[in-house]
């Protein structure tokens, strides 16, 4: 559980903290008027709205580490789950019409958060649990 927690926190913090700074950087390059205000709002709202997604990602990570031995398969599964979990708050906020409407700002934020989550999943090290760690030992000694 400890490895799943540390791994999930790294991914979550990478997306929640790095996305506002990238928006700030893009805003400064594009002469955005209130880039700092948008970045701070993204930081606070990102932490708030992504907390349930973080918990689901933590649970998925913990399960996959225990059940799967192939790190690539685990990371592919976590990537799919991470993108879907990123999509969900944007879908709810945009009245269940996200990516169908013409809200370019939300699309930009969604793509930015998704790319950072994908980066975090593939960048940070993950080791599946060995069979000895997963199996529950018998209470009776073997004959």
């Amino acid at each position: 559980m400890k490895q799943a927690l540390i791994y999930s926190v790294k991914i979550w913090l990478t997306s929640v903290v790095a996305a506002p700074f990238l928006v700030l950087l893009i805003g400064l390059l594009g002469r955005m008027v209130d880039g700092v205000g948008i970045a701070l709002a993204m930081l606070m709202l990102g932490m708030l709205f992504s907390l349930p997604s973080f918990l689901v990602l933590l649970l998925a990570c913990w399960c996959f580490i225990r059940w799967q031995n192939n790190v690539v398969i685990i990371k592919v599964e976590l990537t799919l789950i991470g993108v879907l979990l990123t999509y969900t708050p944007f879908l709810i906020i945009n009245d269940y019409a996200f990516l169908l409407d013409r809200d370019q700002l939300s699309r930009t934020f969604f793509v930015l958060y998704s790319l950072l989550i994908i980066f975090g999943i593939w960048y940070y090290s993950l080791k599946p649990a060995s069979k000895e760690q997963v199996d529950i030992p018998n209470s009776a000694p073997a004959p």
Side-chain angles (χ1 to χ4, degrees), residues 46-63:
M47 287 182 146
L48 177 69
F49 288 131
S50 68
L51 194 57
S53 298
F54 162 72
L55 295 174
V56 172
L57 186 68
L58 172 63
L59 179 63
C61 184
W62 179 72
C63 290

Side-chain angles (χ1 to χ4, degrees), residues 8-118:
S8 299
V9 166
K10 286 180 183 178
I11 294 168
W12 181 64
L13 286 177
T14 298
S15 65
V16 169
V17 173
F21 287 112
L22 287 175
V23 166
L24 181 61
L25 180 66
I26 292 168
L28 292 176
L29 294 175
R31 311 250 193 268
M32 188 184 306
V33 176
D34 193 20
V36 174
I38 291 174
L40 288 174
M42 278 183 70
L43 184 63
M44 290 186 295
L45 293 174
M47 287 182 146
L48 177 69
F49 288 131
S50 68
L51 194 57
S53 298
F54 162 72
L55 295 174
V56 172
L57 186 68
L58 172 63
L59 179 63
C61 184
W62 179 72
C63 290
F64 292 150
I65 286 173
R66 289 178 53 91
W67 297 335
Q68 184 64 255
N69 288 330
N70 189 333
V71 175
V72 173
I73 292 175
I74 293 172
K75 289 190 175 198
V76 167
E77 292 167 338
L78 290 175
T79 299
L80 294 173
I81 290 171
V83 171
L84 287 174
L85 290 172
T86 304
Y87 183 76
T88 304
F90 287 101
L91 182 70
I92 293 168
I93 290 170
N94 287 305
D95 200 26
Y96 299 97
F98 184 60
L99 296 181
L100 299 175
D101 60 355
R102 294 196 165 103
D103 185 4
Q104 192 65 30
L105 186 62
S106 288
R107 284 185 202 166
T108 303
F109 289 164
F110 166 70
V111 168
L112 188 61
Y113 278 115
S114 294
L115 289 175
L116 287 167
I117 287 172
I118 293 168

